[in-house]
Structure formats: structure tokens, C-alpha cells
């Protein structure tokens, strides 16, 4: 490897997509009923008593009992009170290998001491926030720009969702065009324009509850990894007010769950140039995880705007930001209030607070010093190879692949459905036909997640695993033994309820 990036080889998208199609055409393979009863009764019932009591009380005050989207795990969320490197500990004292890594930000491993030391120093001097300029803002913006030439200027915000909102607004201002094109199945946060074609390509407004149809009428989704579909959408939009931006996750929708060809991003860049549309790379997951140069460095494609989140604050709160050329950023985004100027109004009380800025700056410095992205990528490769050996050993149809430190383990294929079609009504019919199947496969995925948890492995919803620099060979070997324990209880044709 040693090119500064975590990806040692780019897999052929077509062959992974074929494996995923095979998986979804199979009956459901899942932890057997007997093994699941054991997990529920003997682990969750006996070893997670304090978590259960806290959850039961939390349900009275918090919708569904937990605040964070990633925390609601079947059969109930466990409560964690210690995180260290590659490990998590719950309130009952159970220890886990942590492949959630907070949903991606902690590439150095959880609670990394060198960053914590700087944060503590800051808290001792000015506290987390003053609402005024702090040197940390400059240090972070300059550091990002040093690693990503396309980011001449950086505006920090509170989250990836906010940064996407800012980027959409900036691109409309800059191009004076209206429409937004996103790649179906991608997640770009939960702003009104973006909850469209969420998770399942072609699903349109399926998840747009509470969002007026008019709001998403300017968002168009295109089939992933399909440049012809993108060009068709750009041409159609010419008569509808033009396309302000194309936004995508460069490794493919849902953090690479649906892989794309290596040259896809380059093709999108060419189409954006041809139709005078801004290209936005959503690097919330990939920025400072794939490598210091992000996905844009890895693919060698220069986006007009870049969205940041997660690693940008090293796992500390308020992680988000938008970067781009001096020309676009200064023409579109207000600095301070600037009343009367024709610029986009963006900001936030806690945006770019000293704590987030300092945490982000020292995280990036530590990544550079330790080669964290490459080390996390090697761990991802080793984990993927080990999981594929286990899949072979037990003759399972599961699909496992990785983009460096982003590892995908598809057991039921719940994340692999695609109902996109050139005509909306066909997408809808395909969706209705597959809906029950998708829900059952989602349940199977959650069951697998519970079995992993009971065996001491935390995953993202039972299907994604983020590795970090803390994942040494010993940690990966330990995790593979635990996966082996789960895989040997898997059976074909398990009946799961929606
Ligand atoms: C690719 C991508 N974009 C945007 C977001 C939204 O970021 P945030 O959760 O900080 O609002 C996420 C969050 O997971 C993401 O994965």
C-alpha cells in the first residue's frame, strides 16, 4: 500500500453487485432459532440487566428509549460507559470489540490520549466555547487545505447534515440553477432536500415523511454507478431550470455499500463540466478516513465543493464543514452576518467552537504522524479476508468486501435492493413487490447484529464495520474467533417476521 491511502485495491463493482444479487435471490440465511433463543435468554436476559433497566426507564422520556440513530439495536440498546482504543465496555461490565467506532469518526481508536490531552488543555483555558474567534479555527482550516488542494477555504459547521444544506444553497447561488441530482441510495444527512431515494435507489419519497412534495420536487435521484442515467437527468433538467449540483458519496452510496467503478467519479466530473454543474463530494465518511487527501485524492478527482463531518472533529461534538475554491466559497457563503449581501445565510451557535476545532486539528496531526488511515485500512483488509475465509468455511452466501477501513458484511442482502428504473411508476411497482422481502431481510440483519453483540462485537446495524488504527492483528484475530462462533450457528431458510 503505502500510498497514504487506506485502500489497497479497488474491487470490481460488477462482481460484487453480482454476488449481492445472488444473496438477495437466496432464502434468508440467519442465526438459527435455537441460537437466537440462547442469545436473547442467556446474554440479553442475564448479562445485560443494568442496560435493560436503564433502557426501560429511558423509554418514558426519550422516543424509542435512545437518542442516537445508530444506538437502537435489537432486541434493546445496550448502555455503554467506557471506550478505549478498539474496545467498548457496557454498564454491566461486558467487553466488546468496537467496529462501530462511533459511526466512523474515531480513526485513531476511541478516546485517543494525545487528542484528549489537547482537548483537556483547551477546556482548562477557555472552555469549549466562547462564540468568538479562536486560533483553533485557523489551525484546522489551514491543515485541511494543506492536505486537500481543492479546499482552499473551509467553513466549519455543526454536522454533515448542515454542511450539505450549505453546499446545496451555495451551489444554487453560484450557478443560478435550481435542481439537485443525488445518487439513489446515498445518505447525505436528513435535511428536507436530501431525504429522497434514501437507502434504496429508486425509492424516491418513501422516507420523506413530514416533507412537502414541493420541497423534494427539485431533487432527482439517479441509479448508482450509471453515467448514462446521470447524463439523462442532466439533460432533462436543462428544461427545468438547470442542475445546480450533483452530490455523491465517492465510494458509492451508503459509505460504499453499493460499490462503484473506479472511474465513475471521473465520469461524473466530466459530465458536471459539460453541463456546467457543480460537483459535490460528500466526504463525511471518507474525509481523513481513506487518507489525508480524502476520496478526492484517492480517485484523483477535484470536486467543486467538499462536505466534511465525523473525523473532522476527531470524534468530539459538532463535526461538519464545507470546503471549496476561494472563488466559490467567498462568492456564496457569508462570513459573519453580512446583512444585505447576496450570500447564503449559514452558521450556528456552536459551529466551529474551540473544542471541535482543536480536536479536529490534533486528530489530523496525529493521523499524519501515525499513518492511522493506512493502519486502519490494513486492519480492514485483514478483517475482510478473515471473514471471507469463514464464509467459505461454512458455505454461506454472505458477501464481504471493503474499501480500506470501511468493511461491508452483507448477511441478508437487506442493503442491496435497487428499484431504480427510468420511469418512476416502474420504480414504485418494483418497490411494492420487494417491500416485504426487504423488511424480512432487515429483521434478519438485526438478528445477526444481536448475535454479534452477544459474542462481543459491536457493528453498525449488523452490516458495516469501521476499523481504526487501534485494530492490531491480535484484535482482528480475536474478532474473527467471535465471528466464527456466530457463523457456525447460521442456517438456511430461517423464517423471520417483518
Ligand atoms: C455520507 C454522509 N453524509 C452526511 C452525513 C450526515 O452527517 P451528520 O450525521 O454529521 O449530520 C452522514 C452521516 O452519517 C454520512 O454518512
Amino acid at each position: 500500500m503505502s500510498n497514504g491511502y487506506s485502500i489497497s485495491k479497488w474491487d470490481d463493482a460488477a462482481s460484487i453487485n453480482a454476488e449481492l444479487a445472488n444473496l438477495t435471490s437466496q432464502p434468508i440465511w440467519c442465526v438459527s432459532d435455537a441460537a437466537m433463543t440462547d442469545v436473547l435468554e442467556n446474554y440479553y436476559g442475564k448479562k445485560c440487566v443494568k442496560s435493560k433497566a436503564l433502557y426501560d426507564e429511558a423509554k418514558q422520556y426519550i422516543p424509542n428509549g435512545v437518542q442516537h440513530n445508530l444506538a437502537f439495536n435489537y432486541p434493546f440498546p445496550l448502555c455503554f460507559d467506557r471506550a478505549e482504543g478498539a474496545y467498548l465496555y457496557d454498564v454491566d461490565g461486558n467487553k466488546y470489540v468496537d467496529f462501530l467506532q462511533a459511526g466512523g469518526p474515531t480513526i485513531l481508536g476511541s478516546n485517543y490520549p494525545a487528542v484528549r490531552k489537547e482537548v483537556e488543555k483547551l477546556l482548562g483555558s477557555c472552555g469549549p466555547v466562547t462564540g468568538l474567534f479562536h486560533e483553533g479555527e485557523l489551525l484546522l482550516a489551514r491543515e485541511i487545505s494543506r492536505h486537500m488542494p481543492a479546499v482552499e477555504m473551509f467553513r466549519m459547521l455543526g454536522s454533515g447534515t448542515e454542511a450539505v444544506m450549505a453546499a446545496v444553497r451555495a451551489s444554487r447561488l453560484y450557478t443560478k440553477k435550481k435542481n439537485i441530482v443525488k445518487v439513489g441510495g446515498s445518505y447525505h444527512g436528513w435535511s428536507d432536500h436530501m431525504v429522497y431515494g434514501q437507502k434504496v435507489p429508486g425509492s424516491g419519497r418513501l422516507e420523506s415523511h413530514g416533507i412537502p412534495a414541493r420541497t423534494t420536487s427539485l431533487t432527482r435521484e439517479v441509479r448508482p454507478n450509471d453515467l448514462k442515467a446521470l447524463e439523462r437527468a442532466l439533460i432533462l433538467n436543462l428544461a427545468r431550470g438547470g442542475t445546480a449540483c450533483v452530490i455523491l458519496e465517492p465510494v458509492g452510496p451508503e459509505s460504499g455499500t453499493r460499490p462503484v467503478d473506479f472511474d465513475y467519479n471521473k465520469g461524473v466530473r466530466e459530465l458536471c463540466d459539460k453541463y456546467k454543474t457543480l460537483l459535490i463530494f460528500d466526504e463525511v465518511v471518507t474525509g481523513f478516513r481513506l487518507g489525508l487527501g480524502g476520496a478526492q485524492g484517492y480517485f484523483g478527482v477535484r470536486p467543486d465543493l467538499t462536505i466534511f463531518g465525523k473525523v473532522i472533529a476527531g470524534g468530539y461534538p459538532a463535526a461538519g464543514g464545507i470546503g471549496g475554491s476561494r472563488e466559490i466559497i467567498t462568492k456564496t457563503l457569508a462570513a459573519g452576518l453580512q446583512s444585505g449581501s447576496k450570500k447564503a445565510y449559514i452558521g450556528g451557535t456552536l459551529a466551529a467552537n474551540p473544542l471541535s476545532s482543536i480536536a479536529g486539528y490534533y486528530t489530523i496531526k496525529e493521523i499524519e504522524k501515525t499513518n492511522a488511515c493506512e493502519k486502519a485500512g490494513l486492519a480492514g483488509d485483514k478483517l475482510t479476508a478473515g471473514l471471507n475465509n469463514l464464509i467459505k468455511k461454512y458455505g454461506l452466501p454472505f458477501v464481504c468486501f471493503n474499501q480500506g477501513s470501511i468493511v461491508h458484511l452483507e448477511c441478508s442482502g437487506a442493503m442491496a435492493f435497487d428499484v431504480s428504473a427510468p420511469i418512476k411508476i416502474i420504480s414504485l411497482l418494483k418497490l411494492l413487490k420487494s417491500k416485504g422481502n426487504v423488511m424480512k431481510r432487515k429483521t434478519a440483519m438485526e438478528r445477526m447484529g444481536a448475535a454479534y453483540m452477544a459474542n462481543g462485537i459491536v457493528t453498525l446495524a449488523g452490516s458495516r464495520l469501521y476499523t481504526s488504527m487501534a485494530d492490531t492483528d491480535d484484535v482482528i484475530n480475536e474478532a474473527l474467533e467471535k465471528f466464527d462462533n456466530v457463523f457456525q450457528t447460521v442456517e438456511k431458510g430461517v423464517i423471520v417476521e417483518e
Side-chain angles (χ1 to χ4, degrees):
M1 208 181 299
S2 119
N3 55 358
Y5 290 93
S6 74
I7 301 179
S8 53
K9 72 170 176 38
W10 189 254
D11 287 326
D12 176 46
S15 59
I16 290 174
N17 288 329
E19 283 181 53
L20 290 169
N22 170 55
L23 178 63
T24 48
S25 68
Q26 296 250 350
I28 291 177
W29 292 66
C30 191
V31 174
S32 70
D33 286 337
M36 203 59 215
T37 304
D38 182 44
V39 161
L40 296 180
E41 289 180 0
N42 292 323
Y43 192 76
Y44 282 94
K46 293 188 182 150
K47 296 197 172 149
C48 307
V49 179
K50 287 189 191 161
S51 276
K52 179 75 166 62
L54 287 167
Y55 171 61
D56 283 342
E57 191 178 357
K59 277 190 288 186
Q60 294 177 43
Y61 304 102
I62 298 170
N64 282 335
V66 284
Q67 303 286 21
H68 198 283
N69 287 352
L70 299 179
F72 192 85
N73 290 311
Y74 172 77
F76 56 83
L78 301 184
C79 184
F80 291 86
D81 61 359
R82 197 173 140 210
E84 203 179 293
Y87 295 101
L88 282 172
Y89 303 81
D90 69 21
V91 288
D92 290 282
N94 302 304
K95 181 180 178 183
Y96 304 82
V97 178
D98 176 11
F99 288 132
L100 176 60
Q101 287 295 331
T106 49
I107 185 86
L108 296 163
S110 285
N111 210 353
Y112 191 70
V115 177
R116 191 176 65 226
K117 199 178 102 213
E118 295 299 336
V119 167
E120 284 168 353
K121 208 161 101 191
L122 174 96
L123 290 176
S125 58
C126 81
V129 63
T130 61
L132 295 168
F133 178 49
H134 185 275
E135 188 188 359
E137 296 167 45
L138 164 65
L139 294 177
L140 178 61
R142 198 172 61 197
E143 198 61 18
I144 295 170
S145 184
R146 187 164 82 80
H147 294 295
M148 296 190 184
V151 181
E152 291 170 357
M153 301 202 101
F154 171 72
R155 180 79 151 97
M156 197 169 192
L157 292 161
S159 67
T161 299
E162 288 177 37
V164 169
M165 287 163 63
V168 166
R169 206 172 280 179
S171 57
R172 283 180 167 149
L173 258 175
Y174 190 74
T175 61
K176 303 193 172 41
K177 296 177 185 175
K178 285 186 191 158
N179 295 282
I180 308 157
V181 174
K182 70 166 284 197
V183 176
S186 299
Y187 182 62
H188 297 296
W190 51 275
S191 62
D192 280 1
H193 290 303
M194 286 295 151
V195 183
Y196 186 84
Q198 196 102 299
K199 294 193 188 87
V200 180
S203 60
R205 284 182 48 82
L206 186 74
E207 303 233 25
S208 309
H209 311 295
I211 303 170
R214 195 182 258 194
T215 312
T216 51
S217 68
L218 295 172
T219 307
R220 183 175 285 270
E221 59 165 318
V222 292
R223 196 188 168 97
N225 203 26
D226 185 342
L227 290 171
K228 286 201 179 109
L230 175 60
E231 182 152 27
R232 269 197 307 275
L234 293 171
I235 291 170
L236 266 174
N237 279 350
L238 287 176
R240 304 165 79 224
T243 306
C245 60
V246 173
I247 180 165
L248 53 78
E249 295 176 76
V251 289
E254 272 288 343
S255 309
T257 301
R258 298 166 192 280
V260 294
D261 294 331
F262 185 84
D263 287 335
Y264 177 70
N265 291 293
K266 196 163 150 265
V268 177
R269 174 73 274 176
E270 283 163 11
L271 287 175
C272 286
D273 290 342
K274 184 170 168 187
Y275 292 92
K276 303 204 173 355
T277 292
L278 296 192
L279 172 58
I280 304 176
F281 269 15
D282 181 340
E283 295 233 35
V284 167
V285 169
T286 52
F288 300 100
R289 173 165 283 278
L290 289 201
L292 288 164
Q296 50 201 269
Y298 175 71
F299 289 110
V301 173
R302 192 179 174 108
D304 298 299
L305 292 171
T306 303
I307 308 298
F308 294 94
K310 302 196 190 267
V311 184
I312 208 73
Y316 285 83
I322 168 174
S325 65
R326 200 172 308 286
E327 150 85 8
I328 297 178
I329 298 287
T330 51
K331 272 199 176 148
T332 58
L333 302 182
L337 297 179
Q338 290 195 344
S339 304
S341 72
K342 287 192 179 158
K343 292 188 184 177
Y345 188 91
I346 61 163
T349 307
L350 291 186
N353 64 74
L355 186 147
S356 315
S357 307
I358 282 295
Y361 171 68
Y362 283 103
T363 295
I364 296 172
K365 290 304 256 184
E366 285 297 318
I367 290 173
E368 187 172 21
K369 202 193 299 174
T370 59
N371 278 332
C373 297
E374 286 182 84
K375 286 180 185 159
L378 284 171
D381 285 351
K382 190 170 161 64
L383 180 62
T384 305
L387 285 167
N388 276 320
N389 284 340
L390 291 176
I391 288 169
K392 217 181 269 168
K393 175 174 166 186
Y394 292 106
L396 306 173
F398 297 174
V399 183
C400 183
F401 59 100
N402 69 315
Q403 294 101 3
S405 57
I406 312 170
V407 179
H408 307 274
L409 174 58
E410 292 295 329
C411 299
S412 69
M415 302 294 290
F417 283 84
D418 181 342
V419 298
S420 43
I423 302 171
K424 247 186 193 169
I425 190 85
I426 302 178
S427 290
L428 201 67
L429 291 173
K430 276 166 89 179
L431 186 67
L432 287 174
K433 201 168 149 226
S434 60
K435 202 169 170 213
N437 193 6
V438 177
M439 296 315 284
K440 281 188 182 144
R441 285 174 189 273
K442 188 171 161 276
T443 306
M445 184 174 95
E446 287 165 2
R447 237 166 111 146
M448 292 299 296
Y452 298 145
M453 192 78 99
N455 280 276
I457 305 166
V458 180
T459 62
L460 196 163
S463 79
R464 195 179 312 151
L465 314 152
Y466 287 115
T467 52
S468 78
M469 179 175 77
D471 293 323
T472 58
D473 285 357
D474 285 349
V475 172
I476 298 296
N477 289 335
E478 179 189 346
L480 288 170
E481 273 176 34
K482 293 174 191 293
F483 275 112
D484 195 327
N485 292 337
V486 178
F487 283 9
Q488 58 189 262
T489 68
V490 168
E491 281 179 359
K492 181 179 183 178
V494 174
I495 311 287
V496 291
E497 298 306 322
E498 278 180 41

